[in-house]
Amino acid sequence: MPEPLTVPSALTAQVERLIPSARLGRLGRLRRGLEKEGLRVDANGHIAQTPHPHALGSKLTHPHITTDYSESLLEYITPVYSQPGEALCFLSDLHTFTYHHLENEWIWPGSMPSRLSGNDSVPIADYGSSNVGTMKHVYRKGLDMRYGRIMQAIAGVHYNVSLPDDMWHGLRELEKATNIPFNDYRSTRYFGMIRHFRRHSWLLLYLFGASPAIDKSFLPDGQKVPEKLQSLSDDTYFAPYATTLRMSDLGYQNKVQSQLKICFNSLSNYVNTLRHAISSPWPDYEKMGVNVDGEWRQLNANILQIENEYYSDIRPKRVAKHNETPSQALEARGVEYIEVRCLDLNPFDPLGVTEEQMRFVDTFLMWCLLSDSPWISDEECDRLDDNRRWVVERGRDPELQLFNHGETTSVREWGEQIFAEMGEVARLLDAVEEGTPHADALASLAPRLADPSLTPSAQVLERLKANGGSLSDLMLSLAKEQAEQLKAAPMQRCREALLAQLIETSHQQQHDIEAADQETFEEFLQVYFTKARESRALSALPSEVRQ
C-alpha cells in the first residue's frame, strides 16, 4: 500500500484563510489573455509563401491579428478576460474571421512545422518601411543569422495570467506585509511563483506536450539524425517516449544564452542579467557583421539583440510605455503579469487550447504562488534543466526518474503529490465559481499520470501509427477538418464589425507611422539602444520623478 499523500499544512492554512474573502467576492478572479500561433499552409501541407493577407489588416499595428517570426506564422492576441470561456470565444472569432479571408490555405494545428524546403522556405515577416517596422524585420534577420529560420517556424500558445489587485491586497494583509510597498511585494511574490513554476514545469510538458514527431524536412540537409529520433515513415521522425520536441534541443535553443543562468531569484537580478546580455558583444555574432555594405544583417552583435530574444518557458511581464523596454517597465513599476510559454498547440482542438487546460494552468500557477519557494541555487538550476529535458525527450517512459530535493521519483509519484496539493488551491478558485471547474479539470487530467497513453503526445503517435505514419498528412487532414468547423462557427456581430473596421484602421495607422519618421534607421537604433541601457529603477531616478 502506498503511503497516503499529505498536503503541507501551511498551504492548507493559507487556503482556509482566503476562502471566506473569496466567497464574499473580495478577492476577484484571475485574469488571462491568450497568444496563439499557427502557420498558414497550402493544399499540400507546405508552408505558405504568400504575404500576410491584406484583408486581415496591418500586422504592424493590428492589436489582435499579427505575425510572429515568419510572414506565414499567424499570431492571434486576445484581450484580457476574467473568464476562460470569454478568451476562447474571442480566439474562435479570430480564427473564423481569418478563414473568411484565406484562399486555399489552412492554419496548421501542430506546434512543429509543416513541410519545408530548406531554410529559405520560411519567409521572414515584413512590417513595412517605418523605423519600427524595419527594426522588427532586421531583428528577425538576425535570428536567421544566429539560429536559422526553421526553428522560428515552431508554434505554440502563450498564456498570460495576472492576479487582481484585491487578491494581492488580501495576501499582503494575511502575511502582515503591509509595510512593504505594494509593487515590491507583488513583484517578489510573482518571482516566487516563477521559481516554483520552474521547479515543476515538467508536469505541464508531460500533461500537454503534443509534439513527439517531426517532418523530416525540419532537419537541415546533411544534418546527422539525432539518436533520440527514429524513422516512422518516409517523411516523419519520432521519439518513442517524447512529449514535446518543440521544447527540446531540436526546438527553441540558444547555447550562448545558457551562460546567462537566469533562474529568476529576484527582479533586479533578472533585469540586470538581460541588460548585460543586450550590451555585451559575442565574438561569433561580431564575425557575422551588423551593417555590411548598407545591408542590415542583425540589430547588433550582442548576446541578445533585444530582450525578446531570451528564450524561457515563463517570463515576468509588464505592459511597457512609449520609449520603454520590457525590462525597464518591470524595473520602474514591477511585475504586472506572467507569461507561460511552454504550451504546445493541442492539434485535436480547433483553437489549440481548451478551457479545461486553462483551468488547470490557473490552478497550477496559483499553487506555485501559495507554495514555499526559496531561491534557486546554480546546482538546483542545473537539476531543473535536467528534469525538463528528460520529460521532454522521454516523459512517458515508465522507467524515468526525476530529481526531487536530492532524491529520485517517478513522474507519476511526483505528479500525484502535486495534484493533491493543487486540490486545495482548486477549492479556493472554485469558491467564486458556479460549480467546481478547477477541481473538475484536475479530476479529468489526473488519469494521465497513471496512464501515459492518455496524454496528447501518445494520442498523436497513436493516430500516426494508425494512419500511415506521416505527420504532415495527419496535421493537414486535421487542419482541413477544423477549418470547416471554424468557417461555419457563428461570430458575435459586434466583434465581426470591430475586426472589419480594424482592417482599414490598422493599415492607416501603419501609413501614419511611416509618414511620421524623421530620422534614419541607424539614428533610430542608436537612440533606442542608448535608452535601453538606462536603468529605470526608482533609486536611479531623479527625486522629482520618484515622488
Side-chain angles (χ1 to χ4, degrees):
M1 287 286 292
E3 295 183 7
L5 299 175
T6 59
V7 176
S9 58
L11 175 64
T12 300
Q14 278 209 77
V15 169
E16 290 294 344
R17 289 196 294 266
L18 288 169
I19 280 181
S21 294
R23 287 175 176 160
L24 293 173
R26 294 176 181 169
L27 297 184
R29 288 184 168 90
L30 301 186
R31 296 170 57 78
R32 81 279 294 155
L34 294 165
E35 300 173 28
K36 187 261 185 183
E37 303 158 345
L39 279 174
R40 289 185 292 112
V41 301
D42 65 19
N44 295 314
H46 290 91
I47 184 173
Q49 300 299 302
T50 52
H52 181 74
H54 186 275
L56 295 182
S58 164
K59 52 188 174 291
L60 178 68
T61 56
H62 198 296
H64 303 300
I65 303 176
T66 182
T67 57
D68 195 81
Y69 174 84
S70 173
E71 191 76 4
S72 306
L73 186 55
L74 288 166
E75 181 175 9
Y76 297 132
I77 304 167
T78 75
V80 176
Y81 290 104
S82 59
Q83 290 288 358
E86 294 176 348
L88 290 172
C89 181
F90 195 101
L91 184 61
S92 178
D93 284 348
L94 293 176
H95 281 80
T96 298
F97 184 82
T98 298
Y99 269 120
H100 290 168
H101 298 282
L102 285 186
E103 295 184 8
N104 299 316
E105 291 182 350
W106 289 265
I107 301 172
W108 196 249
S111 281
M112 299 305 284
S114 57
R115 294 185 172 110
L116 304 170
S117 300
N119 192 67
D120 291 344
S121 68
V122 182
I124 299 176
D126 183 351
Y127 294 91
S129 62
S130 69
N131 285 330
V132 171
T134 301
M135 182 176 179
K136 292 170 74 72
H137 181 72
V138 173
Y139 166 61
R140 285 157 173 76
K141 290 178 68 176
L143 295 179
D144 177 22
M145 293 278 293
R146 296 170 179 218
Y147 324 114
R149 301 184 190 183
I150 289 177
M151 184 181 91
Q152 312 298 329
I154 296 171
V157 174
H158 295 173
Y159 192 59
N160 302 304
V161 180
S162 65
L163 274 67
D165 283 352
D166 286 346
M167 191 174 294
W168 285 119
H169 287 302
L171 287 168
R172 192 159 157 249
E173 291 175 6
L174 188 67
E175 296 173 8
K176 296 181 172 48
T178 52
N179 60 316
I180 301 173
F182 178 77
N183 282 351
D184 292 348
Y185 172 80
R186 180 172 58 182
S187 294
T188 299
R189 291 301 306 272
Y190 265 132
F191 269 84
M193 172 197 281
I194 290 171
R195 290 194 298 274
H196 209 66
F197 180 98
R198 286 271 295 138
R199 289 180 166 104
H200 303 91
S201 61
W202 61 264
L203 181 61
L204 300 184
L205 304 178
Y206 174 84
L207 293 173
F208 304 120
S211 53
I214 61 171
D215 192 279
K216 289 185 177 180
S217 65
F218 183 78
L219 298 182
D221 291 339
Q223 177 179 324
K224 182 181 178 181
V225 178
E227 292 183 2
K228 60 175 153 287
L229 296 181
Q230 301 177 18
S231 183
L232 184 62
S233 67
D234 291 341
D235 66 1
T236 300
Y237 291 119
F238 80 110
Y241 294 115
T243 58
T244 167
L245 293 178
R246 165 180 171 261
M247 298 298 293
S248 74
D249 57 4
L250 293 172
Y252 287 110
Q253 57 174 314
N254 185 329
K255 292 182 174 63
V256 176
Q257 289 184 28
S258 64
Q259 68 165 328
L260 298 177
K261 288 294 180 185
I262 297 178
C263 277
F264 304 95
N265 281 331
S266 70
L267 175 58
S268 60
N269 171 262
Y270 177 76
V271 168
N272 290 335
T273 306
L274 286 181
R275 185 167 289 132
H276 167 75
I278 64 171
S279 305
S280 301
W282 189 255
D284 289 345
Y285 300 158
E286 289 181 310
K287 292 176 185 176
M288 296 174 181
V290 176
N291 185 351
V292 181
D293 297 329
E295 177 197 358
W296 286 90
R297 296 183 175 181
Q298 51 187 339
L299 294 176
N300 54 54
N302 298 333
I303 296 172
L304 303 178
Q305 298 175 87
I306 57 176
E307 295 165 18
N308 289 349
E309 191 174 338
Y310 173 62
Y311 301 131
S312 62
D313 53 8
I314 188 169
R315 283 181 183 168
K317 299 292 288 286
R318 170 166 287 278
V319 176
K321 297 180 179 179
H322 181 61
N323 287 333
E324 188 178 55
T325 68
S327 66
Q328 286 173 331
L330 287 171
E331 196 173 38
R333 299 180 301 284
V335 183
E336 183 179 15
Y337 65 97
I338 56 98
E339 178 187 31
V340 175
R341 301 167 52 83
C342 61
L343 300 176
D344 281 3
L345 297 177
N346 179 348
F348 303 117
D349 186 274
L351 303 183
V353 60
T354 67
E355 180 168 347
E356 176 182 82
Q357 182 179 5
M358 294 170 71
R359 296 285 187 180
F360 181 90
V361 175
D362 288 346
T363 311
F364 182 81
L365 291 172
M366 196 66 185
W367 168 71
C368 289
L369 177 73
L370 296 179
S371 299
D372 184 40
S373 184
W375 281 28
I376 298 174
S377 67
D378 289 345
E379 181 181 2
E380 184 185 5
C381 197
D382 291 338
R383 298 289 77 76
L384 302 184
D385 289 341
D386 289 338
N387 284 345
R388 178 178 173 277
R389 183 180 69 256
W390 291 334
V391 171
V392 160
E393 295 182 356
R394 55 189 189 96
R396 288 178 286 106
D397 184 346
E399 302 300 319
L400 176 63
Q401 295 284 304
L402 305 179
F403 285 117
N404 181 14
H405 294 99
E407 300 180 354
T408 59
T409 184
S410 69
V411 166
R412 177 178 179 175
E413 290 171 339
W414 197 356
E416 288 177 347
Q417 177 62 46
I418 294 171
F419 267 66
E421 296 179 22
M422 287 176 61
E424 288 293 287
V425 179
R427 288 198 300 122
L428 173 62
L429 294 179
D430 284 339
V432 297
E433 302 287 347
E434 293 184 10
T436 55
H438 299 91
D440 294 344
L442 293 181
S444 177
L445 295 169
R448 295 183 184 182
L449 295 172
D451 186 357
S453 70
L454 299 175
T455 60
S457 56
Q459 298 281 304
V460 168
L461 284 182
E462 181 181 351
R463 290 282 291 271
L464 281 173
K465 292 174 180 178
N467 292 277
S470 170
L471 178 68
S472 287
D473 285 350
L474 171 62
M475 292 299 161
L476 184 60
S477 175
L478 289 171
K480 292 181 176 181
E481 290 175 13
Q482 292 169 5
E484 293 308 309
Q485 296 178 48
L486 292 164
K487 288 177 184 178
M491 289 185 64
Q492 291 188 13
R493 289 188 178 182
C494 61
R495 191 167 294 152
E496 186 172 14
L498 169 67
L499 294 175
Q501 181 184 33
L502 283 172
I503 297 172
E504 181 179 350
T505 302
S506 63
H507 282 301
Q508 183 61 50
Q509 288 173 333
Q510 177 175 334
H511 174 77
D512 293 344
I513 292 171
E514 292 170 348
D517 279 345
Q518 299 294 321
E519 55 193 350
T520 66
F521 180 60
E522 186 170 6
E523 292 169 338
F524 170 83
L525 272 192
Q526 184 176 3
V527 171
Y528 176 87
F529 285 116
T530 298
K531 291 182 177 179
R533 288 189 289 269
E534 296 173 355
S535 173
R536 299 294 173 89
L538 290 179
S539 59
L541 297 177
S543 59
E544 64 270 16
V545 177
R546 281 187 266 134
Q547 292 174 357

